[in-house]
């Protein structure tokens, strides 16, 4: 039997939002927003750590929101495969606890709700820090696996001329933004490398050679 105060509170919310069904939709929507927020912050931190290794700001890449959220999902899959349930389970538990905040509406649980909010923020912070570190490690691992590339230009005589890489180096393709190609010039031996930016142009073509 629910306390009268709890029933009255729900009645007020039902009047405010129209019906209990609309209240349920609102809670489900807020839970979805909370879950998407964790994926977004984790994905952004993952990309920030990844491109930080190559001295690139995420703002230069201009990833869209779908790409960021996708990398947030990649982060959770990678951390699950590396650590099993040691870290993944607490993170998922945090998601569940964040969901509970939308089911607790009695003022009697004011302190508990506040604790849940701070715990949710803590989970987002831990996920972001872990994602940044994992992205950095992934970038180090990917350096040796980047695909070779070739830049070419069209001359005034409409002749295609290949642009050579610096001496004793090979261009490897990294990524592209709306106006820039990012490449890594790796020296022989693989112990040194440079980041190279190429502005996109109608006279410049880029070919990437994949294994």
């Amino acid at each position: 039997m629910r306390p009268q105060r709890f029933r009255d509170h729900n009645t007020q919310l039902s009047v405010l939002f129209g019906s209990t069904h609309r209240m349920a939709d609102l809670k489900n929507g807020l839970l979805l927003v909370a879950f998407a927020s964790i994926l977004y912050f984790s994905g952004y931190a993952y990309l920030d750590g990844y491109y930080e290794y190559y001295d690139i700001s995420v703002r230069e890449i201009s990833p869209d929101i779908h790409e960021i959220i996708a990398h947030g999902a990649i982060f959770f899959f990678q951390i699950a495969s590396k650590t099993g349930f040691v870290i993944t389970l607490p993170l998922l538990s945090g998601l569940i606890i964040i969901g509970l905040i939308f089911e607790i509406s009695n003022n009697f649980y004011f302190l508990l709700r506040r604790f849940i909010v701070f715990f949710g923020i803590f989970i987002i912070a831990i996920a972001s820090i872990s994602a940044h570190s994992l992205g950095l490690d992934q970038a180090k691992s990917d350096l040796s696996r980047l695909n070779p590339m070739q830049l070419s230009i069209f001359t005034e005589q409409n002749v295609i001329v290949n642009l050579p890489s610096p001496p004793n180096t090979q261009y490897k393709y990294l990524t592209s933004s709306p106006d820039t190609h990012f490449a890594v010039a790796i020296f022989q031996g693989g112990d040194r490398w440079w980041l190279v930016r190429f502005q996109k142009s109608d006279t410049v073509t880029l070919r990437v050679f994949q294994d």
Side-chain angles (χ1 to χ4, degrees):
M1 189 83 182
R2 291 187 174 185
Q4 181 65 36
R5 186 179 181 183
F6 187 84
R7 292 199 302 269
D8 292 342
H9 186 70
N10 277 350
T11 301
Q12 293 173 2
L13 291 177
S14 297
V15 172
L16 179 63
F17 292 101
S19 68
T20 55
H21 293 290
R22 292 183 61 182
M23 277 297 300
D25 292 340
L26 177 64
K27 291 177 181 179
N28 292 335
L30 291 175
L31 181 58
L32 181 61
V33 169
F35 180 71
S37 298
I38 291 181
L39 286 180
Y40 179 87
F41 284 112
S42 299
Y44 191 92
Y46 182 92
L47 290 173
D48 183 63
Y50 188 92
Y51 289 115
E52 179 184 296
Y53 179 75
Y54 297 104
D55 296 325
I56 302 174
S57 170
V58 176
R59 292 188 296 272
E60 290 186 76
I61 306 299
S62 300
D64 57 34
I65 188 170
H66 301 92
E67 182 179 358
I68 293 175
I69 291 178
H71 279 85
I74 290 173
F75 157 69
F76 278 101
F77 280 116
Q78 287 187 346
I79 203 170
S81 63
K82 289 186 176 183
T83 64
F85 291 100
V86 175
I87 296 180
T88 307
L89 188 58
L91 290 177
L92 293 178
S93 300
L95 291 177
I96 295 174
I97 292 178
I98 291 174
L100 290 177
I101 188 175
F102 304 114
E103 298 297 334
I104 300 175
S105 51
N106 196 331
N107 289 333
F108 178 75
Y109 296 105
F110 174 78
L111 294 178
L112 179 59
R113 285 183 300 174
R114 176 165 292 187
F115 168 77
I116 291 174
V117 169
F118 284 116
F119 185 77
I121 295 174
F122 173 76
I123 289 297
I124 292 176
I126 292 297
S128 298
I129 294 173
S130 300
H132 184 276
S133 178
L134 191 61
L136 193 64
D137 292 339
Q138 188 64 44
K140 295 177 183 179
S141 176
D142 287 349
L143 179 61
S144 61
R145 296 195 295 265
L146 296 176
N147 293 314
M149 56 169 282
Q150 176 64 60
L151 278 173
S152 304
I153 62 172
F154 289 95
T155 65
E156 295 180 354
Q157 294 76 27
N158 290 328
V159 176
I160 298 177
V161 177
N162 293 333
L163 295 177
S165 60
N168 301 319
T169 66
Q170 182 182 26
Y171 282 140
K172 297 292 189 73
Y173 176 73
L174 181 58
T175 188
S176 295
S177 69
D179 57 2
T180 306
H181 295 301
F182 296 89
V184 177
I186 300 180
F187 287 81
Q188 292 181 357
D191 55 340
R192 293 178 56 212
W193 54 270
W194 291 340
L195 175 69
V196 185
R197 294 172 172 84
F198 299 99
Q199 294 296 319
K200 290 184 177 180
S201 171
D202 294 335
T203 61
V204 177
T205 61
L206 171 67
R207 290 179 293 172
V208 179
F209 304 95
Q210 297 182 342
D211 296 333

